[in-house]
Amino acid sequence: MNRATHIAIIMDGNGRWAKLQGKKRIKGHEAGAQVVKSITTFCSNHPNIERLTLYAFSTENWKRPRLEVEFLMKLLTSYLKDELPLYLENNVRFEPIGNLSLFSKTLQKTIKMVEEKTAHCDGLVQSLALNYGAKDEILRAMNRLKSVEGEITQELLSKTLDCKHDVDLLIRTGGDHRLSNYLLWQSAYAELFFIETLWPDFRVDDLEKIINKFAKTERRFGGLT
Ligand code: IPE
Ligand code: IPE
Ligand code: MG
Protein backbone atom coordinates (compact mmCIF):
# COMPACT_ATOMS: atom_id res chain seq x y z
CA MET A 1 0.00 0.00 0.00
CA ASN A 2 1.36 3.42 -0.99
CA ARG A 3 1.42 6.18 1.55
CA ALA A 4 0.43 9.61 0.25
CA THR A 5 3.08 11.46 2.19
CA HIS A 6 3.05 14.58 0.02
CA ILE A 7 -0.24 15.65 -1.54
CA ALA A 8 -0.38 18.59 -3.96
CA ILE A 9 -3.65 20.10 -5.15
CA ILE A 10 -4.51 22.41 -8.04
CA MET A 11 -7.62 23.99 -6.54
CA ASP A 12 -9.48 24.88 -9.71
CA GLY A 13 -13.08 25.76 -10.52
CA ASN A 14 -13.98 28.55 -8.07
CA GLY A 15 -15.17 30.92 -10.80
CA ARG A 16 -17.31 28.31 -12.56
CA TRP A 17 -18.82 27.24 -9.24
CA ALA A 18 -19.91 30.82 -8.55
CA LYS A 19 -21.28 31.27 -12.07
CA LEU A 20 -23.39 28.13 -11.72
CA GLN A 21 -24.96 29.68 -8.62
CA GLY A 22 -25.56 33.00 -10.37
CA LYS A 23 -22.95 34.64 -8.14
CA LYS A 24 -19.85 36.73 -8.83
CA ARG A 25 -16.54 34.90 -9.28
CA ILE A 26 -15.24 36.26 -5.96
CA LYS A 27 -17.93 34.33 -4.10
CA GLY A 28 -16.35 31.18 -5.52
CA HIS A 29 -12.98 32.19 -4.11
CA GLU A 30 -14.56 32.78 -0.69
CA ALA A 31 -16.21 29.36 -0.75
CA GLY A 32 -12.90 27.85 -1.93
CA ALA A 33 -11.08 29.30 1.08
CA GLN A 34 -13.48 27.46 3.41
CA VAL A 35 -12.63 24.18 1.68
CA VAL A 36 -8.91 24.87 2.22
CA LYS A 37 -9.62 24.94 5.96
CA SER A 38 -11.48 21.63 6.08
CA ILE A 39 -8.99 19.81 3.85
CA THR A 40 -6.03 21.15 5.85
CA THR A 41 -7.61 20.06 9.12
CA PHE A 42 -8.32 16.59 7.73
CA CYS A 43 -4.75 16.21 6.44
CA SER A 44 -3.28 17.41 9.75
CA ASN A 45 -5.12 14.57 11.52
CA HIS A 46 -4.19 11.90 8.96
CA PRO A 47 -1.37 9.59 10.12
CA ASN A 48 0.41 9.34 6.74
CA ILE A 49 0.20 12.83 5.28
CA GLU A 50 3.23 15.00 5.99
CA ARG A 51 2.83 17.74 3.39
CA LEU A 52 -0.08 19.44 1.67
CA THR A 53 0.94 21.86 -1.08
CA LEU A 54 -1.92 23.96 -2.43
CA TYR A 55 -1.89 26.07 -5.60
CA ALA A 56 -3.46 29.38 -4.55
CA PHE A 57 -2.12 31.95 -7.05
CA SER A 58 -0.01 31.30 -10.14
CA THR A 59 2.56 33.51 -11.86
CA GLU A 60 0.00 33.66 -14.70
CA ASN A 61 -2.97 34.69 -12.54
CA TRP A 62 -1.85 38.36 -12.65
CA LYS A 63 -3.45 38.40 -16.12
CA ARG A 64 -6.91 38.36 -14.54
CA PRO A 65 -9.00 41.53 -14.18
CA ARG A 66 -7.50 43.95 -11.65
CA LEU A 67 -10.52 43.73 -9.34
CA GLU A 68 -10.33 39.93 -9.13
CA VAL A 69 -6.59 40.06 -8.39
CA GLU A 70 -7.17 42.70 -5.70
CA PHE A 71 -9.91 40.60 -4.16
CA LEU A 72 -7.67 37.52 -4.10
CA MET A 73 -4.96 39.51 -2.30
CA LYS A 74 -7.45 40.71 0.32
CA LEU A 75 -8.86 37.21 0.72
CA LEU A 76 -5.38 35.81 1.22
CA THR A 77 -4.64 38.36 3.94
CA SER A 78 -7.86 37.65 5.83
CA TYR A 79 -7.52 33.88 5.29
CA LEU A 80 -4.02 33.87 6.80
CA LYS A 81 -5.03 35.96 9.81
CA ASP A 82 -8.14 33.84 10.46
CA GLU A 83 -6.23 30.63 9.94
CA LEU A 84 -3.46 31.21 12.44
CA PRO A 85 -5.36 29.75 15.45
CA LEU A 86 -6.38 26.71 13.35
CA TYR A 87 -2.78 26.13 12.27
CA LEU A 88 -1.62 26.30 15.88
CA GLU A 89 -4.45 24.11 17.18
CA ASN A 90 -3.64 21.42 14.62
CA ASN A 91 0.15 21.73 14.91
CA VAL A 92 0.39 22.79 11.23
CA ARG A 93 3.50 24.57 9.95
CA PHE A 94 2.86 27.11 7.22
CA GLU A 95 5.51 27.33 4.51
CA PRO A 96 4.75 29.51 1.49
CA ILE A 97 6.36 28.81 -1.88
CA GLY A 98 6.62 31.12 -4.89
CA ASN A 99 8.07 34.53 -5.57
CA LEU A 100 6.58 36.58 -2.74
CA SER A 101 8.50 39.75 -3.62
CA LEU A 102 5.75 40.86 -6.04
CA PHE A 103 3.14 41.07 -3.27
CA SER A 104 2.47 44.25 -1.28
CA LYS A 105 4.68 44.83 1.75
CA THR A 106 1.65 44.37 4.05
CA LEU A 107 0.78 41.00 2.55
CA GLN A 108 4.43 39.93 2.68
CA LYS A 109 4.47 40.84 6.39
CA THR A 110 1.31 38.81 7.09
CA ILE A 111 2.79 35.80 5.26
CA LYS A 112 6.04 36.11 7.24
CA MET A 113 4.13 36.51 10.52
CA VAL A 114 2.16 33.28 10.01
CA GLU A 115 5.31 31.47 8.89
CA GLU A 116 7.19 32.57 12.01
CA LYS A 117 4.33 31.90 14.43
CA THR A 118 3.92 28.34 13.13
CA ALA A 119 7.65 27.61 12.73
CA HIS A 120 7.68 25.43 15.87
CA CYS A 121 4.77 23.22 14.71
CA ASP A 122 5.95 19.76 13.77
CA GLY A 123 2.79 18.20 12.37
CA LEU A 124 1.53 18.68 8.82
CA VAL A 125 3.37 21.21 6.63
CA GLN A 126 0.85 23.23 4.64
CA SER A 127 2.44 25.09 1.74
CA LEU A 128 0.49 27.67 -0.17
CA ALA A 129 1.86 28.29 -3.65
CA LEU A 130 1.67 32.07 -3.99
CA ASN A 131 2.76 33.82 -7.16
CA TYR A 132 4.10 30.39 -7.95
CA GLY A 133 5.09 28.98 -11.33
CA ALA A 134 7.28 25.93 -11.76
CA LYS A 135 9.27 27.53 -14.59
CA ASP A 136 9.87 30.61 -12.47
CA GLU A 137 10.87 28.45 -9.48
CA ILE A 138 13.38 26.47 -11.55
CA LEU A 139 14.85 29.63 -13.10
CA ARG A 140 15.22 31.34 -9.72
CA ALA A 141 16.99 28.22 -8.42
CA MET A 142 19.30 28.09 -11.46
CA ASN A 143 20.22 31.74 -10.96
CA ARG A 144 21.01 31.06 -7.30
CA LEU A 145 23.25 28.19 -8.38
CA LYS A 146 25.17 30.24 -10.95
CA SER A 147 28.16 30.77 -8.69
CA VAL A 148 28.42 27.11 -7.69
CA GLU A 149 31.60 25.52 -8.93
CA GLY A 150 31.40 22.03 -10.35
CA GLU A 151 28.45 19.94 -11.37
CA ILE A 152 24.88 20.78 -10.46
CA THR A 153 23.27 17.52 -9.36
CA GLN A 154 19.59 16.62 -9.15
CA GLU A 155 19.92 16.67 -5.35
CA LEU A 156 21.41 20.17 -5.38
CA LEU A 157 18.76 21.56 -7.71
CA SER A 158 16.01 19.91 -5.63
CA LYS A 159 17.37 21.49 -2.47
CA THR A 160 17.49 24.91 -4.12
CA LEU A 161 13.86 24.91 -5.28
CA ASP A 162 11.15 26.53 -3.15
CA CYS A 163 9.47 23.14 -2.77
CA LYS A 164 12.18 20.61 -1.96
CA HIS A 165 9.98 17.53 -1.77
CA ASP A 166 8.78 15.13 -4.46
CA VAL A 167 5.01 14.92 -4.79
CA ASP A 168 3.34 11.53 -4.31
CA LEU A 169 -0.21 12.44 -5.23
CA LEU A 170 -1.27 15.38 -7.39
CA ILE A 171 -4.96 16.25 -7.64
CA ARG A 172 -6.61 18.78 -9.94
CA THR A 173 -10.25 19.67 -9.41
CA GLY A 174 -12.41 21.47 -11.99
CA GLY A 175 -12.24 19.03 -14.89
CA ASP A 176 -9.20 20.25 -16.82
CA HIS A 177 -6.36 17.86 -17.56
CA ARG A 178 -3.31 20.06 -17.31
CA LEU A 179 -0.65 21.06 -14.81
CA SER A 180 -0.76 24.84 -15.39
CA ASN A 181 2.90 25.30 -14.45
CA TYR A 182 2.58 23.55 -11.07
CA LEU A 183 5.41 21.60 -9.39
CA LEU A 184 6.77 20.28 -12.71
CA TRP A 185 10.08 19.05 -11.27
CA GLN A 186 8.63 17.64 -8.05
CA SER A 187 5.82 15.78 -9.84
CA ALA A 188 8.11 13.75 -12.12
CA TYR A 189 6.71 10.53 -10.60
CA ALA A 190 3.55 11.78 -8.93
CA GLU A 191 0.29 9.90 -9.40
CA LEU A 192 -2.11 12.27 -11.15
CA PHE A 193 -5.82 12.51 -10.35
CA PHE A 194 -8.00 14.84 -12.41
CA ILE A 195 -11.55 15.16 -11.14
CA GLU A 196 -14.62 17.00 -12.40
CA THR A 197 -15.69 18.35 -8.99
CA LEU A 198 -15.25 22.11 -8.71
CA TRP A 199 -12.99 23.13 -5.81
CA PRO A 200 -15.73 24.70 -3.60
CA ASP A 201 -17.63 21.37 -3.82
CA PHE A 202 -14.59 19.25 -2.92
CA ARG A 203 -15.03 17.45 0.40
CA VAL A 204 -12.94 15.33 2.76
CA ASP A 205 -14.79 12.24 1.46
CA ASP A 206 -13.58 12.98 -2.09
CA LEU A 207 -10.02 13.22 -0.83
CA GLU A 208 -10.34 9.98 1.13
CA LYS A 209 -11.58 8.18 -1.99
CA ILE A 210 -8.58 9.42 -3.98
CA ILE A 211 -6.15 8.47 -1.21
CA ASN A 212 -7.63 4.95 -1.14
CA LYS A 213 -7.29 4.60 -4.91
CA PHE A 214 -3.75 5.95 -4.74
CA ALA A 215 -2.89 3.43 -2.01
CA LYS A 216 -3.64 0.58 -4.40
CA THR A 217 -1.77 2.00 -7.41
CA GLU A 218 1.32 0.14 -8.50
CA ARG A 219 4.14 2.70 -8.51
CA ARG A 220 7.06 1.33 -10.49
CA PHE A 221 9.35 4.36 -10.91
CA GLY A 222 10.58 2.89 -14.17
CA GLY A 223 11.44 -0.47 -12.65
CA LEU A 224 9.56 -3.76 -12.62
CA THR A 225 7.55 -5.26 -9.83
C1 IPE B 1 -8.99 28.59 -9.02
O1 IPE B 1 -10.27 28.83 -9.50
C2 IPE B 1 -8.52 29.69 -8.10
C3 IPE B 1 -7.46 30.55 -8.67
C4 IPE B 1 -6.87 30.36 -9.82
C5 IPE B 1 -7.07 31.70 -7.87
P1 IPE B 1 -10.52 29.69 -10.81
O2 IPE B 1 -10.63 31.13 -10.44
O3 IPE B 1 -9.47 29.41 -11.82
O4 IPE B 1 -11.91 29.16 -11.29
P2 IPE B 1 -12.33 28.78 -12.77
O5 IPE B 1 -11.33 27.81 -13.28
O6 IPE B 1 -12.34 30.07 -13.54
O7 IPE B 1 -13.69 28.19 -12.62
C1 IPE C 1 -4.35 27.05 -11.87
O1 IPE C 1 -5.63 27.39 -12.24
C2 IPE C 1 -3.84 27.99 -10.81
C3 IPE C 1 -4.46 27.86 -9.49
C4 IPE C 1 -5.34 26.95 -9.15
C5 IPE C 1 -4.02 28.82 -8.51
P1 IPE C 1 -5.93 28.36 -13.47
O2 IPE C 1 -7.39 28.48 -13.58
O3 IPE C 1 -5.15 29.62 -13.33
O4 IPE C 1 -5.30 27.54 -14.69
P2 IPE C 1 -5.64 27.56 -16.23
O5 IPE C 1 -5.58 29.00 -16.67
O6 IPE C 1 -7.00 26.99 -16.40
O7 IPE C 1 -4.59 26.70 -16.85
MG1 MG D 1 -9.30 28.04 -13.32
Side-chain angles (χ1 to χ4, degrees):
M1 293 280 256
N2 302 310
R3 287 179 351 129
T5 307
H6 184 186
I7 298 179
I9 308 184
I10 302 173
M11 310 182 287
D12 197 24
N14 292 351
R16 278 163 287 164
W17 181 88
K19 203 174 164 200
L20 279 171
Q21 319 240 334
K23 295 178 183 160
K24 292 199 170 135
R25 289 180 56 83
I26 57 171
K27 290 288 168 198
H29 297 312
E30 275 174 0
Q34 293 305 315
V35 178
V36 171
K37 292 185 193 177
S38 60
I39 295 296
T40 302
T41 307
F42 168 79
C43 290
S44 71
N45 290 306
H46 193 288
N48 295 342
I49 306 170
E50 291 169 11
R51 292 186 169 266
L52 175 67
T53 305
L54 303 170
Y55 209 0
F57 192 84
S58 76
T59 46
E60 286 74 36
N61 286 147
W62 298 105
K63 292 180 200 157
R64 295 190 177 199
R66 185 178 54 87
L67 283 178
E68 180 165 343
V69 171
E70 278 175 15
F71 180 83
L72 285 168
M73 298 301 137
K74 270 196 221 135
L75 182 65
L76 185 58
T77 309
S78 58
Y79 164 84
L80 285 170
K81 286 183 180 160
D82 286 1
E83 271 311 83
L84 184 57
L86 200 94
Y87 283 129
L88 295 172
E89 234 169 74
N90 292 293
N91 195 22
V92 175
R93 189 162 83 240
F94 170 68
E95 268 184 18
I97 58 169
N99 179 0
L100 305 180
S101 70
L102 290 194
F103 292 128
S104 73
K105 289 278 168 288
T106 329
L107 180 50
Q108 287 186 47
K109 260 194 200 160
T110 307
I111 293 169
K112 205 96 247 92
M113 182 272 290
V114 177
E115 203 181 348
E116 283 170 3
K117 292 223 153 113
T118 61
H120 66 281
C121 297
D122 60 2
L124 178 78
V125 179
Q126 189 228 49
S127 275
L128 285 189
L130 302 169
N131 187 29
Y132 175 89
K135 288 189 175 182
D136 178 67
E137 176 190 41
I138 293 168
L139 267 188
R140 282 186 287 107
M142 294 304 290
N143 280 314
R144 268 184 240 135
L145 291 171
K146 251 189 197 161
S147 52
V148 171
E149 276 177 35
E151 207 184 330
I152 294 171
T153 60
Q154 289 196 16
E155 287 69 29
L156 181 57
L157 179 55
S158 283
K159 270 197 287 185
T160 314
L161 293 171
D162 301 347
C163 174
K164 301 165 187 22
H165 308 272
D166 283 347
V167 172
D168 296 303
L169 170 54
L170 181 99
I171 302 166
R172 182 179 187 133
T173 61
D176 284 317
H177 295 221
R178 56 175 170 258
L179 297 176
S180 301
N181 203 7
Y182 195 43
L183 301 171
L184 300 182
W185 173 275
Q186 299 86 342
S187 299
Y189 262 105
E191 300 295 328
L192 309 180
F193 284 76
F194 297 98
I195 59 163
E196 292 296 320
T197 310
L198 303 170
W199 176 250
D201 287 330
F202 191 72
R203 294 290 173 270
V204 163
D205 283 1
D206 301 310
L207 180 57
E208 277 187 302
K209 274 187 207 134
I210 294 174
I211 292 174
N212 290 338
K213 236 179 168 178
F214 165 87
K216 295 185 198 114
T217 308
E218 193 183 302
R219 299 185 83 191
R220 289 184 291 276
F221 299 98
L224 302 173
T225 49

